Amino acid sequence: MDEMEVIGNQKEKPDSTRPTFFIHTFGCQMNESDSEHIAGLLTSYGWQKGNCPEESNLVIINTCAVRAKSVDKFFSLLGRLKEIKKKRGFKIAVVGCVAQLEGEELFKLQPHIDYVIGPDNYLELPKIIDHKEKITSTTWSGHWREHPYSLIRRESQVSAYVPIMEGCNNFCTYCIVPFVRGREKYRPARFILEEIKALADRGFLEVQLLGQSITSYRDPESNQSLADLLRQVAQINNLKWIRFITSHPKNLTREIAQAMAEEKKICRQLHLPVQAGSNSILKRMNRGYTREEYLEKIAMLKELMPEISLSTDIIVGFPGESEKDFEDTLRLLEEVRFTNIFSFRYSPRPLTAASQWPDDVPFEVKRRRLIELQSLQKKIQLEINANFAGRIIDVLCLGRSQKTPHLYCGRNEAHQVVNFSSSLEVTNKMVKVKITSFGPYSLHGEIVPESI
Ligand code: SF4
Protein backbone atom coordinates (compact mmCIF):
# COMPACT_ATOMS: atom_id res chain seq x y z
CA MET A 1 0.00 0.00 0.00
CA ASP A 2 1.12 3.55 -0.01
CA GLU A 3 1.71 6.74 1.82
CA MET A 4 -1.64 8.54 1.77
CA GLU A 5 -3.46 8.72 5.05
CA VAL A 6 -6.75 10.52 5.35
CA ILE A 7 -8.82 11.18 8.39
CA GLY A 8 -11.67 8.70 8.20
CA ASN A 9 -15.15 8.77 9.63
CA GLN A 10 -15.62 10.64 12.88
CA LYS A 11 -15.00 8.35 15.84
CA GLU A 12 -18.21 7.62 17.68
CA LYS A 13 -18.49 6.72 21.33
CA PRO A 14 -19.65 3.09 21.51
CA ASP A 15 -23.13 2.32 22.82
CA SER A 16 -22.52 0.48 26.12
CA THR A 17 -25.48 -1.87 25.53
CA ARG A 18 -24.04 -3.43 22.37
CA PRO A 19 -21.03 -5.77 21.96
CA THR A 20 -18.06 -4.04 20.35
CA PHE A 21 -15.36 -5.26 17.97
CA PHE A 22 -12.11 -3.70 16.83
CA ILE A 23 -10.30 -4.69 13.61
CA HIS A 24 -6.62 -4.20 12.80
CA THR A 25 -5.80 -4.92 9.15
CA PHE A 26 -2.40 -5.80 7.71
CA GLY A 27 -1.63 -6.16 4.01
CA CYS A 28 -3.20 -5.38 0.68
CA GLN A 29 -6.46 -3.94 -0.63
CA MET A 30 -7.98 -7.44 -0.63
CA ASN A 31 -7.46 -7.63 3.14
CA GLU A 32 -8.90 -4.13 3.58
CA SER A 33 -11.92 -5.23 1.57
CA ASP A 34 -12.26 -8.42 3.65
CA SER A 35 -12.20 -6.31 6.82
CA GLU A 36 -15.04 -4.17 5.44
CA HIS A 37 -17.02 -7.37 4.81
CA ILE A 38 -16.32 -8.65 8.33
CA ALA A 39 -17.29 -5.32 9.91
CA GLY A 40 -20.56 -5.27 7.95
CA LEU A 41 -21.37 -8.86 8.81
CA LEU A 42 -20.84 -8.34 12.55
CA THR A 43 -22.82 -5.09 12.45
CA SER A 44 -25.75 -7.01 10.95
CA TYR A 45 -25.60 -9.32 13.99
CA GLY A 46 -25.92 -6.36 16.40
CA TRP A 47 -22.22 -5.68 17.00
CA GLN A 48 -20.68 -2.20 16.71
CA LYS A 49 -17.24 -1.11 15.60
CA GLY A 50 -15.03 0.26 18.37
CA ASN A 51 -12.09 2.64 18.20
CA CYS A 52 -9.51 0.63 20.18
CA PRO A 53 -8.97 -2.81 21.74
CA GLU A 54 -9.50 -1.40 25.25
CA GLU A 55 -13.18 -0.63 24.61
CA SER A 56 -13.91 -3.87 22.69
CA ASN A 57 -15.26 -7.34 23.46
CA LEU A 58 -13.62 -8.83 20.38
CA VAL A 59 -10.33 -7.89 18.70
CA ILE A 60 -9.93 -9.13 15.13
CA ILE A 61 -6.51 -9.14 13.48
CA ASN A 62 -6.68 -9.51 9.70
CA THR A 63 -3.24 -10.84 8.79
CA CYS A 64 -0.92 -10.83 5.77
CA ALA A 65 1.61 -13.62 5.11
CA VAL A 66 3.15 -12.26 1.91
CA ARG A 67 6.29 -10.87 3.57
CA ALA A 68 8.14 -11.90 6.71
CA LYS A 69 7.98 -8.28 7.90
CA SER A 70 4.16 -8.19 8.08
CA VAL A 71 4.14 -11.53 9.95
CA ASP A 72 6.67 -10.09 12.44
CA LYS A 73 4.45 -7.03 12.91
CA PHE A 74 1.45 -9.30 13.54
CA PHE A 75 3.29 -11.24 16.28
CA SER A 76 4.49 -8.01 17.83
CA LEU A 77 0.88 -6.70 17.93
CA LEU A 78 -0.25 -10.00 19.50
CA GLY A 79 2.41 -9.58 22.19
CA ARG A 80 1.08 -6.11 23.06
CA LEU A 81 -2.53 -7.36 23.08
CA LYS A 82 -1.67 -10.15 25.53
CA GLU A 83 -1.15 -7.68 28.37
CA ILE A 84 -4.23 -5.60 27.50
CA LYS A 85 -6.35 -8.77 27.26
CA LYS A 86 -5.40 -9.72 30.85
CA LYS A 87 -6.97 -6.47 32.09
CA ARG A 88 -9.90 -6.16 29.66
CA GLY A 89 -10.82 -9.77 28.95
CA PHE A 90 -11.70 -9.45 25.26
CA LYS A 91 -11.52 -12.37 22.80
CA ILE A 92 -8.95 -12.39 19.99
CA ALA A 93 -9.79 -13.66 16.50
CA VAL A 94 -6.93 -14.06 14.01
CA VAL A 95 -8.23 -14.05 10.44
CA GLY A 96 -6.68 -13.91 6.97
CA CYS A 97 -3.55 -15.39 5.44
CA VAL A 98 -1.51 -16.19 8.59
CA ALA A 99 -4.61 -17.89 10.05
CA GLN A 100 -4.85 -20.03 6.91
CA LEU A 101 -1.13 -20.79 6.94
CA GLU A 102 -0.69 -21.66 10.61
CA GLY A 103 -4.17 -22.98 11.55
CA GLU A 104 -4.29 -24.57 15.02
CA GLU A 105 -0.54 -24.10 15.45
CA LEU A 106 -1.33 -20.49 16.34
CA PHE A 107 -3.00 -21.63 19.59
CA LYS A 108 0.25 -23.35 20.58
CA LEU A 109 2.37 -20.36 19.63
CA GLN A 110 0.07 -17.77 21.24
CA PRO A 111 -2.37 -19.35 23.74
CA HIS A 112 -4.21 -16.05 24.26
CA ILE A 113 -5.73 -16.34 20.75
CA ASP A 114 -9.37 -17.57 20.81
CA TYR A 115 -10.36 -18.06 17.17
CA VAL A 116 -8.43 -18.76 13.94
CA ILE A 117 -10.39 -18.15 10.74
CA GLY A 118 -9.10 -18.43 7.17
CA PRO A 119 -10.00 -16.06 4.30
CA ASP A 120 -12.69 -18.42 2.94
CA ASN A 121 -14.54 -18.70 6.26
CA TYR A 122 -15.50 -15.15 7.23
CA LEU A 123 -19.21 -15.83 6.83
CA GLU A 124 -18.98 -18.23 9.79
CA LEU A 125 -17.48 -15.56 12.06
CA PRO A 126 -20.71 -14.44 13.82
CA LYS A 127 -21.45 -18.05 14.83
CA ILE A 128 -17.84 -18.86 15.79
CA ILE A 129 -17.54 -15.95 18.20
CA ASP A 130 -20.59 -17.23 20.11
CA HIS A 131 -18.44 -20.13 21.34
CA LYS A 132 -16.50 -20.02 24.58
CA GLU A 133 -13.96 -22.65 23.46
CA LYS A 134 -11.16 -22.11 20.92
CA ILE A 135 -12.21 -22.67 17.29
CA THR A 136 -10.31 -23.00 14.02
CA SER A 137 -12.02 -22.67 10.64
CA THR A 138 -9.74 -22.86 7.61
CA THR A 139 -11.53 -25.08 5.08
CA TRP A 140 -11.65 -24.14 1.41
CA SER A 141 -14.59 -24.19 -0.94
CA GLY A 142 -13.78 -24.73 -4.60
CA HIS A 143 -16.25 -22.12 -5.80
CA TRP A 144 -17.00 -18.46 -5.22
CA ARG A 145 -19.01 -17.74 -2.06
CA GLU A 146 -21.09 -14.61 -2.51
CA HIS A 147 -21.20 -12.27 0.50
CA PRO A 148 -24.27 -10.03 0.67
CA TYR A 149 -22.74 -6.76 -0.57
CA SER A 150 -25.47 -4.67 1.03
CA LEU A 151 -23.94 -5.54 4.43
CA ILE A 152 -20.44 -4.24 3.68
CA ARG A 153 -19.35 -1.48 6.05
CA ARG A 154 -17.18 0.64 3.75
CA GLU A 155 -14.46 2.94 5.03
CA SER A 156 -14.98 5.40 2.17
CA GLN A 157 -18.27 6.84 0.93
CA VAL A 158 -16.92 7.63 -2.52
CA SER A 159 -14.40 4.94 -3.53
CA ALA A 160 -15.26 1.25 -3.16
CA TYR A 161 -13.35 -2.01 -3.37
CA VAL A 162 -15.17 -4.68 -5.37
CA PRO A 163 -13.57 -8.17 -5.27
CA ILE A 164 -14.11 -10.05 -8.53
CA MET A 165 -11.93 -13.11 -7.93
CA GLU A 166 -9.94 -14.85 -5.25
CA GLY A 167 -6.77 -16.95 -5.25
CA CYS A 168 -4.02 -17.48 -7.78
CA ASN A 169 -2.87 -20.32 -10.07
CA ASN A 170 0.52 -18.88 -10.99
CA PHE A 171 2.85 -20.25 -8.29
CA CYS A 172 5.60 -17.68 -8.58
CA THR A 173 8.42 -19.34 -6.69
CA TYR A 174 8.65 -16.67 -3.96
CA CYS A 175 4.92 -16.23 -3.33
CA ILE A 176 2.78 -17.74 -0.61
CA VAL A 177 -0.55 -16.49 -2.00
CA PRO A 178 -1.61 -19.69 -3.86
CA PHE A 179 -1.09 -21.61 -0.60
CA VAL A 180 -3.07 -19.26 1.64
CA ARG A 181 -5.71 -17.95 -0.80
CA GLY A 182 -6.11 -21.15 -2.84
CA ARG A 183 -6.70 -21.58 -6.57
CA GLU A 184 -8.50 -18.98 -8.66
CA LYS A 185 -12.24 -18.63 -8.13
CA TYR A 186 -14.17 -16.08 -10.17
CA ARG A 187 -17.18 -14.09 -9.07
CA PRO A 188 -20.10 -14.17 -11.52
CA ALA A 189 -20.24 -10.91 -13.50
CA ARG A 190 -23.94 -10.41 -12.74
CA PHE A 191 -23.15 -10.05 -9.00
CA ILE A 192 -20.29 -7.66 -9.73
CA LEU A 193 -22.41 -5.45 -11.99
CA GLU A 194 -25.31 -5.46 -9.53
CA GLU A 195 -23.01 -4.35 -6.70
CA ILE A 196 -21.42 -1.59 -8.76
CA LYS A 197 -24.80 -0.28 -9.96
CA ALA A 198 -25.94 -0.11 -6.33
CA LEU A 199 -22.74 1.74 -5.40
CA ALA A 200 -23.17 4.25 -8.23
CA ASP A 201 -26.80 4.82 -7.15
CA ARG A 202 -25.52 5.61 -3.65
CA GLY A 203 -23.12 8.24 -4.99
CA PHE A 204 -19.84 6.31 -5.17
CA LEU A 205 -17.66 7.81 -7.90
CA GLU A 206 -14.85 5.25 -8.07
CA VAL A 207 -14.63 1.45 -7.95
CA GLN A 208 -11.47 -0.60 -7.63
CA LEU A 209 -11.96 -4.14 -8.90
CA LEU A 210 -9.80 -6.55 -6.88
CA GLY A 211 -8.22 -9.92 -7.56
CA GLN A 212 -4.79 -11.44 -6.90
CA SER A 213 -4.29 -12.15 -10.61
CA ILE A 214 -7.12 -10.10 -12.04
CA THR A 215 -6.11 -10.31 -15.70
CA SER A 216 -7.03 -14.06 -15.58
CA TYR A 217 -10.65 -13.20 -14.73
CA ARG A 218 -13.37 -15.15 -16.56
CA ASP A 219 -17.06 -14.89 -15.80
CA PRO A 220 -17.86 -18.46 -14.62
CA GLU A 221 -21.33 -18.22 -16.21
CA SER A 222 -20.56 -16.70 -19.63
CA ASN A 223 -16.76 -17.13 -19.91
CA GLN A 224 -16.46 -13.42 -20.73
CA SER A 225 -13.05 -11.89 -20.07
CA LEU A 226 -11.89 -9.01 -17.88
CA ALA A 227 -12.02 -6.75 -20.96
CA ASP A 228 -15.73 -7.58 -21.44
CA LEU A 229 -16.44 -6.95 -17.77
CA LEU A 230 -14.59 -3.62 -17.80
CA ARG A 231 -16.62 -2.45 -20.81
CA GLN A 232 -19.86 -3.36 -19.02
CA VAL A 233 -18.81 -1.58 -15.82
CA ALA A 234 -17.97 1.49 -17.90
CA GLN A 235 -21.63 1.69 -19.03
CA ILE A 236 -22.86 2.22 -15.45
CA ASN A 237 -24.20 5.76 -14.99
CA ASN A 238 -22.69 8.22 -12.52
CA LEU A 239 -19.41 6.33 -12.02
CA LYS A 240 -16.36 8.44 -12.82
CA TRP A 241 -13.34 6.19 -12.39
CA ILE A 242 -12.75 2.44 -12.69
CA ARG A 243 -9.50 0.79 -11.61
CA PHE A 244 -8.44 -2.85 -11.36
CA ILE A 245 -5.63 -4.52 -9.46
CA THR A 246 -3.45 -6.70 -9.57
CA SER A 247 -2.62 -7.44 -13.20
CA HIS A 248 -0.24 -10.20 -14.23
CA PRO A 249 1.88 -9.18 -17.23
CA LYS A 250 1.59 -12.57 -18.94
CA ASN A 251 -2.24 -12.30 -19.03
CA LEU A 252 -2.44 -8.65 -19.96
CA THR A 253 -4.04 -8.84 -23.40
CA ARG A 254 -4.39 -6.23 -26.12
CA GLU A 255 -8.15 -6.64 -25.60
CA ILE A 256 -7.82 -5.36 -22.02
CA ALA A 257 -5.56 -2.49 -23.09
CA GLN A 258 -8.03 -1.55 -25.84
CA ALA A 259 -10.91 -1.49 -23.35
CA MET A 260 -8.83 0.86 -21.19
CA ALA A 261 -8.02 3.09 -24.16
CA GLU A 262 -11.58 3.25 -25.49
CA GLU A 263 -13.60 3.52 -22.28
CA LYS A 264 -12.85 6.91 -20.77
CA LYS A 265 -14.04 5.92 -17.28
CA ILE A 266 -11.30 3.29 -17.00
CA CYS A 267 -8.33 5.12 -15.49
CA ARG A 268 -5.22 5.37 -17.62
CA GLN A 269 -3.27 3.83 -14.79
CA LEU A 270 -2.03 0.30 -14.34
CA HIS A 271 -0.13 -1.55 -11.66
CA LEU A 272 1.88 -4.18 -13.54
CA PRO A 273 4.30 -6.02 -11.25
CA VAL A 274 7.55 -6.90 -13.03
CA GLN A 275 9.46 -8.07 -9.90
CA ALA A 276 12.89 -8.12 -11.65
CA GLY A 277 14.54 -6.88 -14.83
CA SER A 278 16.78 -9.87 -15.46
CA ASN A 279 15.66 -12.83 -17.55
CA SER A 280 17.47 -15.39 -15.43
CA ILE A 281 15.78 -14.10 -12.25
CA LEU A 282 12.37 -13.88 -13.94
CA LYS A 283 12.79 -17.51 -14.98
CA ARG A 284 13.75 -18.59 -11.46
CA MET A 285 10.74 -16.65 -10.16
CA ASN A 286 8.48 -18.59 -12.60
CA ARG A 287 6.92 -15.34 -13.75
CA GLY A 288 6.02 -16.65 -17.20
CA TYR A 289 7.46 -13.75 -19.24
CA THR A 290 10.84 -12.39 -20.23
CA ARG A 291 12.12 -8.85 -19.82
CA GLU A 292 11.54 -8.33 -23.56
CA GLU A 293 7.96 -9.59 -23.37
CA TYR A 294 7.26 -7.30 -20.41
CA LEU A 295 8.65 -4.33 -22.32
CA GLU A 296 6.51 -5.26 -25.34
CA LYS A 297 3.40 -5.06 -23.12
CA ILE A 298 4.55 -1.67 -21.86
CA ALA A 299 5.07 -0.50 -25.46
CA MET A 300 1.55 -1.71 -26.36
CA LEU A 301 0.05 0.21 -23.44
CA LYS A 302 1.95 3.37 -24.29
CA GLU A 303 1.03 3.09 -27.96
CA LEU A 304 -2.70 2.89 -27.09
CA MET A 305 -2.50 5.38 -24.17
CA PRO A 306 0.56 7.65 -24.40
CA GLU A 307 -0.45 9.35 -21.13
CA ILE A 308 -0.76 6.10 -19.11
CA SER A 309 0.70 6.04 -15.62
CA LEU A 310 2.40 2.76 -14.64
CA SER A 311 3.46 1.35 -11.29
CA THR A 312 5.16 -1.90 -10.37
CA ASP A 313 6.53 -4.19 -7.65
CA ILE A 314 10.22 -5.08 -7.41
CA ILE A 315 11.96 -7.67 -5.23
CA VAL A 316 15.69 -7.19 -4.66
CA GLY A 317 18.06 -9.91 -3.48
CA PHE A 318 16.13 -12.90 -4.85
CA PRO A 319 18.24 -16.10 -4.55
CA GLY A 320 21.03 -16.04 -7.15
CA GLU A 321 20.60 -12.32 -8.01
CA SER A 322 23.99 -11.09 -9.25
CA GLU A 323 25.14 -7.47 -9.62
CA LYS A 324 24.47 -7.80 -13.35
CA ASP A 325 20.90 -9.03 -12.68
CA PHE A 326 20.33 -6.08 -10.36
CA GLU A 327 21.74 -3.68 -12.98
CA ASP A 328 19.16 -5.07 -15.42
CA THR A 329 16.42 -4.11 -12.97
CA LEU A 330 17.79 -0.57 -12.64
CA ARG A 331 17.92 -0.21 -16.44
CA LEU A 332 14.33 -1.43 -16.69
CA LEU A 333 13.21 1.31 -14.29
CA GLU A 334 14.98 3.89 -16.45
CA GLU A 335 13.37 2.50 -19.58
CA VAL A 336 9.76 2.26 -18.34
CA ARG A 337 9.77 5.29 -16.01
CA PHE A 338 7.12 4.12 -13.55
CA THR A 339 5.10 6.74 -11.68
CA ASN A 340 5.48 4.70 -8.52
CA ILE A 341 7.06 1.44 -7.35
CA PHE A 342 6.64 -0.85 -4.35
CA SER A 343 10.02 -2.40 -3.61
CA PHE A 344 11.07 -5.01 -1.08
CA ARG A 345 14.02 -7.08 0.07
CA TYR A 346 13.45 -10.77 -0.66
CA SER A 347 12.48 -12.88 2.35
CA PRO A 348 11.81 -16.64 2.02
CA ARG A 349 8.20 -17.62 2.64
CA PRO A 350 7.10 -21.05 3.90
CA LEU A 351 5.80 -23.62 1.37
CA THR A 352 7.22 -21.76 -1.64
CA ALA A 353 9.72 -23.30 -4.08
CA ALA A 354 12.29 -20.54 -3.49
CA SER A 355 12.31 -21.23 0.26
CA GLN A 356 14.11 -24.49 -0.57
CA TRP A 357 16.99 -22.57 -2.19
CA PRO A 358 19.86 -20.87 -0.36
CA ASP A 359 18.92 -17.27 0.53
CA ASP A 360 22.37 -16.38 -0.79
CA VAL A 361 22.31 -12.61 -1.23
CA PRO A 362 23.67 -11.19 2.06
CA PHE A 363 21.38 -8.84 3.99
CA GLU A 364 23.77 -5.90 3.55
CA VAL A 365 23.77 -6.40 -0.23
CA LYS A 366 19.97 -6.55 -0.30
CA ARG A 367 19.85 -3.42 1.78
CA ARG A 368 22.28 -1.54 -0.46
CA ARG A 369 20.42 -2.62 -3.61
CA LEU A 370 17.08 -1.51 -2.18
CA ILE A 371 18.49 1.92 -1.31
CA GLU A 372 20.03 2.27 -4.79
CA LEU A 373 16.80 1.20 -6.49
CA GLN A 374 14.66 3.54 -4.41
CA SER A 375 16.95 6.51 -4.92
CA LEU A 376 16.89 6.01 -8.71
CA GLN A 377 13.10 5.75 -8.60
CA LYS A 378 12.87 8.87 -6.43
CA LYS A 379 14.77 10.81 -9.09
CA ILE A 380 12.45 9.47 -11.83
CA GLN A 381 9.35 10.37 -9.81
CA LEU A 382 10.60 13.92 -9.24
CA GLU A 383 11.08 14.32 -13.00
CA ILE A 384 7.61 12.89 -13.74
CA ASN A 385 5.94 15.02 -11.08
CA ALA A 386 7.65 18.19 -12.35
CA ASN A 387 5.50 17.86 -15.49
CA PHE A 388 2.40 18.47 -13.38
CA ALA A 389 3.46 21.94 -12.18
CA GLY A 390 0.91 24.55 -13.29
CA ARG A 391 -1.53 21.96 -14.65
CA ILE A 392 -5.18 21.66 -13.58
CA ILE A 393 -6.13 18.06 -12.88
CA ASP A 394 -9.14 16.08 -11.64
CA VAL A 395 -8.80 14.85 -8.05
CA LEU A 396 -11.10 12.59 -6.11
CA CYS A 397 -11.01 14.06 -2.60
CA LEU A 398 -11.02 11.40 0.11
CA GLY A 399 -10.93 13.67 3.18
CA ARG A 400 -8.48 15.80 5.12
CA SER A 401 -4.84 14.85 5.25
CA GLN A 402 -3.94 13.16 8.53
CA LYS A 403 -0.45 14.67 8.57
CA THR A 404 -1.55 18.19 7.60
CA PRO A 405 -5.24 18.51 8.55
CA HIS A 406 -5.60 22.04 7.11
CA LEU A 407 -5.19 20.41 3.67
CA TYR A 408 -7.47 18.06 1.77
CA CYS A 409 -6.10 14.85 0.33
CA GLY A 410 -7.10 12.82 -2.72
CA ARG A 411 -5.96 10.91 -5.78
CA ASN A 412 -5.64 11.90 -9.40
CA GLU A 413 -6.34 9.56 -12.33
CA ALA A 414 -2.74 8.32 -12.14
CA HIS A 415 -3.47 7.33 -8.52
CA GLN A 416 -0.93 9.78 -7.16
CA VAL A 417 -1.48 11.46 -3.81
CA VAL A 418 -2.58 15.10 -4.16
CA ASN A 419 -2.70 17.41 -1.12
CA PHE A 420 -4.49 20.69 -1.69
CA SER A 421 -6.01 23.70 0.00
CA SER A 422 -9.68 24.61 -0.25
CA SER A 423 -11.84 27.04 1.69
CA LEU A 424 -14.89 24.90 0.86
CA GLU A 425 -15.69 21.42 2.22
CA VAL A 426 -14.89 19.00 -0.62
CA THR A 427 -14.60 15.57 1.03
CA ASN A 428 -15.94 12.82 -1.27
CA LYS A 429 -16.17 15.16 -4.27
CA MET A 430 -14.43 15.09 -7.63
CA VAL A 431 -12.75 18.50 -7.95
CA LYS A 432 -10.21 20.31 -10.09
CA VAL A 433 -6.90 21.19 -8.48
CA LYS A 434 -4.19 23.47 -9.83
CA ILE A 435 -0.79 21.94 -9.06
CA THR A 436 1.53 24.51 -7.53
CA SER A 437 4.37 22.33 -6.21
CA PHE A 438 5.44 18.70 -6.00
CA GLY A 439 7.68 16.24 -4.25
CA PRO A 440 8.77 12.75 -5.28
CA TYR A 441 5.81 11.08 -3.58
CA SER A 442 2.96 13.57 -3.89
CA LEU A 443 1.60 16.62 -5.68
CA HIS A 444 0.43 19.83 -3.95
CA GLY A 445 -2.00 22.45 -5.12
CA GLU A 446 -5.06 24.58 -4.62
CA ILE A 447 -8.63 23.97 -5.55
CA VAL A 448 -10.14 25.60 -8.64
CA PRO A 449 -13.31 26.97 -6.92
CA GLU A 450 -15.42 26.99 -10.09
CA SER A 451 -15.04 23.19 -10.25
CA ILE A 452 -17.21 22.58 -7.17
S1 SF4 B 1 0.83 -13.96 -9.60
FE1 SF4 B 1 2.60 -14.73 -8.49
S2 SF4 B 1 3.07 -13.04 -7.08
FE2 SF4 B 1 0.98 -12.69 -7.77
S3 SF4 B 1 -0.34 -13.67 -6.23
FE3 SF4 B 1 0.03 -15.18 -7.88
S4 SF4 B 1 1.79 -16.39 -7.20
FE4 SF4 B 1 1.75 -14.50 -5.98
Side-chain angles (χ1 to χ4, degrees):
M1 293 300 293
D2 43 43
E3 66 279 4
M4 184 173 74
E5 288 186 3
V6 292
I7 295 174
N9 298 332
Q10 285 296 312
K11 289 185 174 162
E12 293 159 23
K13 199 166 163 41
D15 167 358
S16 58
T17 63
R18 290 169 64 197
T20 305
F21 66 93
F22 174 79
I23 302 192
H24 186 96
T25 306
F26 290 99
C28 62
Q29 293 96 330
M30 189 64 96
N31 266 21
E32 289 179 21
S33 170
D34 286 345
S35 289
E36 292 182 345
H37 281 82
I38 291 168
L41 195 61
L42 289 179
T43 307
S44 75
Y45 275 74
W47 287 70
Q48 62 186 329
K49 194 170 176 194
N51 303 312
C52 61
E54 284 82 354
E55 66 186 25
S56 303
N57 307 89
L58 173 70
V59 174
I60 301 165
I61 313 175
N62 194 355
T63 56
C64 170
V66 168
R67 272 173 269 287
K69 204 169 166 183
S70 42
V71 178
D72 292 346
K73 282 188 189 166
F74 155 62
F75 279 111
S76 152
L77 174 63
L78 263 181
R80 296 199 301 279
L81 285 174
K82 188 176 176 180
E83 293 312 310
I84 309 174
K85 181 175 176 170
K86 276 184 199 157
K87 291 184 204 137
R88 305 282 172 170
F90 48 70
K91 299 275 189 185
I92 297 180
V94 175
V95 306
C97 297
V98 178
Q100 188 67 33
L101 177 69
E102 300 287 350
E104 293 199 345
E105 279 300 301
L106 275 176
F107 295 137
K108 290 186 202 150
L109 292 169
Q110 303 280 335
H112 57 297
I113 295 172
D114 298 281
Y115 312 113
V116 174
I117 301 159
D120 216 16
N121 304 84
Y122 297 144
L123 285 173
E124 297 159 30
L125 192 77
K127 288 190 194 114
I128 289 173
I129 57 179
D130 268 352
H131 288 75
K132 297 244 175 328
E133 70 274 22
K134 291 183 187 289
I135 295 212
T136 313
S137 178
T138 53
T139 52
W140 276 105
S141 71
H143 55 87
W144 179 267
R145 290 203 232 185
E146 182 67 12
H147 285 219
Y149 65 80
S150 57
L151 296 183
I152 302 169
R153 191 190 150 114
R154 300 187 190 271
E155 291 295 319
S156 165
Q157 299 310 307
V158 72
S159 175
Y161 295 130
V162 179
I164 70 163
M165 63 172 293
E166 166 94 273
C168 182
N169 297 346
N170 291 309
F171 289 93
C172 301
T173 55
Y174 54 84
C175 182
I176 199 170
V177 166
F179 303 97
V180 291
R181 290 275 181 170
R183 300 301 91 74
E184 291 173 9
K185 292 186 285 191
Y186 307 126
R187 186 180 182 195
R190 64 193 166 94
F191 292 138
I192 300 168
L193 294 167
E194 191 185 305
E195 178 176 348
I196 298 175
K197 277 183 197 137
L199 287 164
D201 287 346
R202 283 173 52 200
F204 279 78
L205 297 178
E206 177 183 73
V207 290
Q208 302 192 50
L209 310 185
L210 302 182
Q212 277 94 4
S213 180
I214 202 163
T215 35
S216 314
Y217 175 80
R218 287 271 155 198
D219 178 3
E221 294 173 348
S222 70
N223 204 33
Q224 287 191 331
S225 67
L226 178 67
D228 299 321
L229 177 69
L230 288 170
R231 287 186 189 275
Q232 290 177 70
V233 175
Q235 303 315 310
I236 295 175
N237 289 336
N238 304 327
L239 268 189
K240 298 274 189 212
W241 282 347
I242 302 159
R243 305 182 193 274
F244 55 100
I245 191 168
T246 299
S247 298
H248 194 302
K250 74 177 176 187
N251 302 322
L252 179 74
T253 58
R254 190 167 187 94
E255 198 195 359
I256 296 172
Q258 266 168 337
M260 291 176 74
E262 289 165 18
E263 299 291 348
K264 297 300 172 212
K265 289 182 185 174
I266 306 174
C267 293
R268 274 127 190 77
Q269 173 258 328
L270 193 70
H271 184 68
L272 197 63
V274 65
Q275 307 297 0
S278 140
N279 277 334
S280 69
I281 296 298
L282 287 171
K283 192 161 185 217
R284 284 166 65 77
M285 287 177 162
N286 191 32
R287 288 292 289 169
Y289 53 83
T290 62
R291 172 194 178 92
E292 293 72 27
E293 285 163 346
Y294 182 87
L295 290 172
E296 275 169 26
K297 301 267 167 140
I298 297 290
M300 170 187 75
L301 290 163
K302 288 185 175 174
E303 173 213 321
L304 291 168
M305 295 164 279
E307 72 284 27
I308 193 168
S309 157
L310 297 158
S311 58
T312 201
D313 295 334
I314 306 271
I315 296 171
V316 300
F318 188 74
E321 186 188 69
S322 65
E323 283 303 322
K324 162 78 175 59
D325 293 324
F326 176 62
E327 280 294 316
D328 286 347
T329 300
L330 294 178
R331 299 295 78 80
L332 186 124
L333 288 198
E334 284 171 339
E335 196 164 334
V336 179
R337 294 178 64 79
F338 296 102
T339 307
N340 192 12
I341 67 166
F342 299 87
S343 50
F344 312 93
R345 284 187 300 267
Y346 169 76
S347 57
R349 307 304 302 124
L351 308 176
T352 60
S355 68
Q356 306 298 312
W357 307 335
D359 183 12
D360 57 1
V361 180
F363 180 83
E364 269 315 309
V365 174
K366 286 181 187 165
R367 192 170 159 270
R368 193 247 308 147
R369 287 181 188 168
L370 189 63
I371 292 169
E372 205 176 322
L373 182 96
Q374 290 177 341
S375 72
L376 169 63
Q377 179 60 25
K378 186 174 173 185
K379 179 175 152 286
I380 292 169
Q381 285 180 205
L382 264 176
E383 288 165 6
I384 290 174
N385 290 354
N387 295 324
F388 281 91
R391 279 175 54 191
I392 292 175
I393 57 171
D394 289 328
V395 174
L396 183 58
C397 178
L398 300 169
R400 286 191 180 268
S401 160
Q402 205 162 51
K403 286 181 195 146
T404 41
H406 65 283
L407 296 178
Y408 285 92
C409 192
R411 298 269 185 187
N412 63 359
E413 184 176 352
H415 215 229
Q416 291 167 293
V417 174
V418 184
N419 294 307
F420 60 96
S421 57
S422 168
S423 56
L424 300 162
E425 170 59 56
V426 288
T427 297
N428 296 339
K429 293 199 166 98
M430 182 78 85
V431 294
K432 292 206 182 290
V433 171
K434 181 168 186 185
I435 301 303
T436 51
S437 64
F438 58 89
Y441 307 111
S442 57
L443 304 170
H444 312 273
E446 54 201 33
I447 196 144
V448 177
E450 308 81 73
S451 69
I452 303 169

